[in-house]
Amino acid sequence: MRPLTRSSLALALTVATTCSLGVPAHAQEAPRGRVDFRANLQPIDGFGFSEAFQRAAVIHGLNGLSAPKQKEVVDLLFGRRAGAGASILRLGIGSSADKVYDHMPSIEPADPGGPTAPPKYVWDGDDGGQVWLANQARSYGVRRFYADAWSAPGFMKTNGTDANGGTLCGLQGTDCASGDWRQAYANYLVQYARFYRREGIRITDLGFTNEPDITVSYASMNFTPAQAVEFVKVLGPVAKKAGLKLSCCDHTGWDGQQDYTRAIEADPQAARWVTTITGHAYSSPVTSPQPTRKRTWMSEWGPGGSTWNENWDDGTEYSGFAVAENIHRTMTDGNAGAYVYWLAASVGATRALIQLDGDAYHVSKRFWAFAAYSRFIRPGATRVAVSAADPALEISAYRNADGTKVVEILNTGTTASTTDLALGSPAGHAQAYLTDAGHSVAPVAAARTHGRDLSADLAPRSLTTVVLR
């Protein structure tokens, strides 16, 4: 063996000391994720919810909520300073001949004498509390109002009632003694929007069917994909003339909606009239984009169950963390341009975001999961490309029209961690907001920027929202 020189001995001692401390002699930087704010994906129309079936009236005091508490709930739903800042309100177009709670009253409760007879419209200026709520939303800057019908009035249908399915008379496959009600139903839907315009609300989006694939005991009406295409060609010109964007078809499941989407895309005339493809996520979740280049909305979903639950992370689908994951996957796997939760507020053992209880209310962690996205990702935003180095992280990112940038980071791991993201452009100032068991979109000092890089400290099982300005 050749004897060690003084310099080689020093090198050997350095290597030995380094290894004894557990540090590699040639340590490498931890892998970084990347957000490319120039790589545009889908445009974003917003985040919202519904208060159909007279739930809006419950906020407005039907169940005893006082005026000051009504203001607090509305501020939670639409306020951007400390609330969710929701930007879409989905309205239920009624079909019931009565005003019993949990029904949606029709603007034409009685048969006028046939499909060609002059319609006998009735407007109470309230619409189950929805007019009041829509005006509240408008005062907070909401400009997207999606009116959707669960059913036509019973006298227009094959089964003579607005409940228990049935089909619109006049569509292929029907044979009604009362005649063809397709044009009358199209006029009915547009008249609903005109009544709202009278109240100062401009409905922007119009849907003629909700979950057309199922028959249920409440307001419902069936359409096959071919029948939906047929009716689109009747309603489309009327809606267009009224300045309304036409949506279709709110199937119960994202996969089932694809059959309706393909049917519309296969018919050039129908495809001409439909602006937005809408699907729900009950019978099948959002796992892939719809087969279309049109705007796509996840227009209704809410977890099932019969117990009010306020938890953040208890392993159930109605926990806040599960809802945050649902939103993330809808936007990333489904390329959805909007996320519309089912109910904002309701009573009893509800899966709504807020539980109303006399003159009190309770806020779930589901609400704060929703707010962490809806408050910061605004209409006109664009989702951008992201790659995550840590498999425990689920990350999405957005560029708002005003120049602000938003990075949403779900840490699915059970330990705290730090992630580093290369941004590809100057990072600017970062403000982080934490949502977990102990925080509800709370500002925290957890994000740092340096040049074109972002570093964020992540609590276990948490959602961290980083806003870059």
Side-chain angles (χ1 to χ4, degrees):
M1 178 184 294
R2 189 176 63 176
L4 293 173
T5 63
R6 181 174 299 178
S7 59
S8 61
L9 177 61
L11 175 61
L13 289 172
T14 300
V15 171
T17 303
T18 302
C19 292
S20 69
L21 291 174
V23 180
H26 300 287
Q28 296 182 350
E29 291 185 6
R32 294 188 300 168
R34 179 176 177 81
V35 179
D36 188 348
F37 286 104
R38 295 168 297 182
N40 296 341
L41 299 175
Q42 79 268 26
I44 304 300
D45 291 318
F47 294 78
F49 44 72
S50 180
E51 280 292 89
F53 290 92
Q54 300 193 51
R55 296 313 191 270
V58 177
I59 298 179
H60 196 30
L62 181 64
N63 198 48
L65 197 66
S66 64
K69 295 293 178 65
Q70 292 174 33
K71 170 64 176 173
E72 291 174 17
V73 170
V74 168
D75 198 50
L76 278 170
L77 296 177
F78 299 110
R80 292 188 61 190
R81 184 179 297 275
S87 50
I88 297 174
L89 180 61
R90 183 181 179 220
L91 303 165
I93 302 176
S95 55
S96 175
D98 61 54
K99 295 185 178 182
V100 174
Y101 177 70
D102 211 30
H103 291 184
M104 293 186 287
S106 171
I107 61 169
E108 192 173 16
D111 185 344
T116 60
K120 298 178 180 178
Y121 296 128
V122 177
W123 180 243
D124 64 5
D126 179 64
D127 197 30
Q130 292 185 113
V131 171
W132 171 82
L133 186 60
N135 273 305
Q136 295 297 311
R138 185 172 60 89
S139 72
Y140 281 83
V142 174
R143 296 295 179 265
R144 207 71 187 256
F145 295 95
Y146 172 35
D148 194 17
W150 270 244
S151 174
F155 56 81
M156 296 185 182
K157 296 169 57 183
T158 56
N159 65 345
T161 175
D162 74 317
N164 301 305
T167 304
L168 180 67
C169 289
L171 290 173
Q172 56 186 282
T174 65
D175 182 13
C176 302
S178 61
D180 180 354
W181 286 88
R182 292 175 302 169
Q183 190 63 56
Y185 181 48
N187 296 340
Y188 174 93
L189 296 170
V190 170
Q191 180 61 43
Y192 180 87
R194 291 195 182 105
F195 281 135
Y196 265 80
R197 180 65 70 90
R198 181 188 300 178
E199 305 297 336
I201 303 298
R202 180 178 176 269
I203 288 175
T204 53
D205 301 82
L206 181 66
F208 62 90
T209 180
N210 173 80
E211 301 180 350
D213 55 303
I214 62 171
T215 297
V216 292
S217 60
Y218 50 87
S220 54
M221 182 167 63
N222 305 133
F223 284 87
T224 66
Q227 289 171 333
V229 167
E230 178 186 351
F231 186 67
V232 160
K233 290 186 282 190
V234 176
L235 176 59
V238 184
K240 177 73 172 179
K241 185 176 181 180
L244 298 163
K245 300 176 187 293
L246 186 59
S247 69
C248 192
C249 302
D250 287 86
H251 190 282
T252 56
W254 198 253
D255 290 346
Q257 173 58 37
Q258 293 186 7
D259 294 335
Y260 289 76
T261 303
R262 291 189 185 97
I264 290 168
E265 292 292 352
D267 188 304
Q269 188 178 353
R272 170 190 175 190
W273 299 118
V274 174
T275 300
T276 309
I277 296 296
T278 53
H280 298 178
Y282 294 111
S283 58
S284 57
V286 179
T287 57
S288 62
Q290 288 290 318
T292 181
R293 299 182 68 178
K294 299 181 186 297
R295 298 289 181 101
T296 303
W297 289 10
M298 196 296 292
S299 52
E300 183 186 319
W301 178 79
S306 58
T307 304
W308 169 252
N309 186 296
E310 299 179 18
N311 295 332
W312 168 250
D313 186 25
D314 60 6
T316 63
E317 72 168 353
Y318 38 80
S319 66
F321 191 87
V323 169
E325 283 196 303
N326 186 278
I327 296 172
H328 169 79
R329 291 169 184 168
T330 297
M331 309 308 286
T332 58
D333 294 346
N335 287 347
Y339 184 95
V340 183
Y341 193 82
W342 171 217
L343 285 178
S346 190
V347 296
T350 178
R351 289 290 183 253
L353 302 175
I354 297 174
Q355 182 194 55
L356 304 174
D357 182 14
D359 194 29
Y361 61 88
H362 312 282
V363 183
S364 68
K365 282 293 185 176
R366 292 183 298 281
F367 173 86
W368 295 113
F370 176 87
Y373 287 87
S374 63
R375 185 192 299 178
F376 303 105
I377 304 166
R378 306 306 300 165
T382 302
R383 187 170 77 88
V384 299
V386 172
S387 60
D390 185 345
L393 304 184
E394 298 179 346
I395 307 176
S396 63
Y398 308 83
R399 186 185 66 251
N400 282 315
D402 66 0
T404 58
K405 302 168 183 176
V406 181
V407 182
E408 302 279 3
I409 309 172
L410 269 166
N411 181 11
T412 69
T414 57
T415 58
S417 64
T418 297
T419 189
D420 297 311
L421 298 170
L423 303 181
S425 58
H429 172 73
Q431 174 60 62
Y433 299 84
L434 176 61
T435 306
D436 63 4
H439 302 81
S440 298
V441 197
V444 291
R448 301 165 297 283
T449 58
H450 179 71
R452 295 170 179 251
D453 296 330
L454 168 67
S455 180
D457 301 325
L458 310 173
R461 303 290 291 176
S462 68
L463 172 59
T464 299
T465 304
V466 180
V467 180
L468 300 166
R469 301 181 185 277

